[in-house]
Structure formats: C-alpha cells, structure tokens
Amino acid sequence: HIHRPNRCPAVGPIHVEGAKPGMGLCVEILRIQPHDRGIMALRPKVGVLGDRTKKDRVVFLPIRNGSIEFPSGVKLPVSPMLGVVGVASGRSPVGTGIAGDHGGNLDVREIRTGSRIHLPIQVEGGRAFFADVHAAMGDGELSGTGVECAASVQVRLTLEAESRCDGPLVETAEDWIVCATHKDASAALAVATERLVEFLSRRHSLPFEEAYLLVGAAGHAAFAQAVNACGTTCKVRFPRNLLKP
C-alpha cells in the first residue's frame, strides 16, 4: 500500500503521550494560511473524466488578495482545507495518500480552520500526521486535484478517553460529518450512514430506528473524493442544532 517516493509528503508521525488503542484523538484546526501560489494538474486516466485527458499538464495559479486566479481571469475565493489528517493504521503500514478508518487522505473540504476531527487511535502513541493543503477544492476532487498549495498550518491535539466513532468524525460549528472509504462507493455510503446513525443514537439516547429516520430526513450525503486509488470517500453530515446533547 506504500505510494511511490515523494507522493503526498506529510508532517509527522507525531507521538502523542498516553495515546492507546481504543482512545480517541481530537485534532483541532487552528489556522491554515496558504502561500502565494496554487497548482492543479491534469493527468491521463486521473479524475472522473481522465479518459479525455491526453497528456500531463500542470497549471500554476496565483493566490492574491484572497482569490485564486485562473488563466481565463476567473477568480475563486480562497477556502483553505487540509486534505490529509490521520493516525497510524493498526493494520499493515499504509501510505499517506491512503484514506481509511484511521483518517489519512480523506479530502473532506469541511476540514478547515475551526473544525475538529475525531479519530480512533489504533497504535500506541497515535502517530498523527498531516498533509495535502488545498487553497480550494470541490466535493469529490473530480478533476483529480484541488488547488494544491504550500501553507502554514497550526493544529491542537487532545486525547479523548474513548473513540467517538469507528472512523473519522468531523465536527464543525454547523454539522457532524462521518466519513468512510471503500472501493465500492455504495459500500462507503452505507458504512458512513451506519456510523452516523449509531453516533447520534449513542450521543442523544435515541433508538436506532429514530436516529435512522432523522438521518433520512435531515442528513446530506456527498463524495469527499472519488479519484484516489484506495476507493471513494463518502461523507454524511447532520445539522448539529437539530439535536441538543
């Protein structure tokens, strides 16, 4: 599962004192400050329309005054996010470009300043790692890349007595977002939905059936990324203000 050299280089692994399997790690994103240039790439067979891409192309995009400038003059607002947030997998070693229950290359665009990511610790010390900043990225990362960029990032790590979820759980001011990755997109959706229902059921002392109905009525499913070799990452979010703890 190890990627070729220099693929998705990451900061870490970071040893977290006292971290043990069964506990949780909360990663709070305090700041993401992109540098002054972004990069996107087009590559044959990469992205959902990769069959229409005939040769490699790298596009450099200036980042100025809070905007990303495309060659045609179109400007997109900077909306920085962290593509890779993870802990060491308890299974065989996996590369930093892999997504799974340990986190990793999730490409969830809600992982931004102010978000908290709750991860299940799988090995002693946790061994947290971070990478893959984007100045902007759409759901699915459909063309194969977001606006990749260098950045200064500040995070806070906090141990939790037990894991909140069997996989990555993203907490924003507005939503709970549960993620799952699988080669089969339908399976990723099913796992993410089940984990969200179980989380809401435990947190709010609801019967499974009612939590399931609530997710059906107010949940929102989307692809975080649909282009990585490890499979599709699906995310299902639920508005936090609908249920009080």
Side-chain angles (χ1 to χ4, degrees), residues 20-221:
K20 298 179 180 179
M23 300 176 71
L25 182 67
C26 174
V27 180
E28 183 178 2
I29 311 298
L30 301 178
R31 183 173 68 95
I32 304 175
Q33 182 60 53
H35 294 182
D36 59 2
R37 184 179 72 168
I39 299 173
M40 296 190 76
L42 295 171
R43 292 167 290 174
K45 306 303 180 182
V46 174
V48 298
L49 301 180
D51 58 331
R52 297 186 59 179
T53 303
K54 304 305 179 184
K55 62 180 181 179
D56 291 331
R57 181 187 177 195
V58 176
V59 182
F60 296 95
L61 306 172
I63 300 174
R64 286 189 284 251
N65 301 318
S67 295
I68 304 159
E69 301 177 6
F70 278 72
S72 66
V74 172
K75 294 183 179 181
L76 294 184
V78 173
S79 182
M81 52 80 68
L82 193 56
V84 172
V85 179
V87 293
S89 171
R91 293 179 287 181
S92 58
V94 295
T96 55
I98 301 296
D101 294 347
H102 67 291
N105 193 19
L106 298 168
D107 282 326
V108 174
R109 66 189 185 97
E110 290 84 0
I111 298 179
R112 56 182 185 258
T113 300
S115 298
R116 293 181 176 89
I117 303 88
H118 304 273
L119 297 166
I121 293 170
Q122 302 187 26
V123 302
E124 295 281 338
R127 300 178 67 81
F129 61 96
F130 311 93
D132 197 26
V133 177
H134 304 94
M137 194 196 80
D139 281 335
E141 201 176 21
L142 300 176
S143 67
T145 67
V147 183
E148 317 288 329
C149 67
S152 300
V153 179
Q154 184 179 7
V155 302
R156 177 187 292 126
L157 306 182
T158 306
L159 275 178
E160 299 176 324
E162 60 183 9
S163 175
R164 296 194 182 197
C165 185
D166 290 338
L169 170 68
V170 180
E171 175 187 359
T172 72
E174 300 82 18
D175 298 308
W176 294 111
I177 305 168
V178 175
C179 312
T181 303
H182 198 281
K183 288 285 189 181
D184 182 337
S186 295
L189 174 61
V191 172
T193 301
E194 182 177 35
R195 287 176 176 172
L196 176 60
V197 170
E198 290 177 345
F199 169 75
L200 294 175
S201 180
R202 289 193 307 270
R203 180 176 173 81
H204 299 284
S205 300
L206 294 170
F208 173 86
E209 292 82 359
E210 183 171 348
Y212 187 24
L213 291 174
L214 284 166
V215 169
H220 301 272

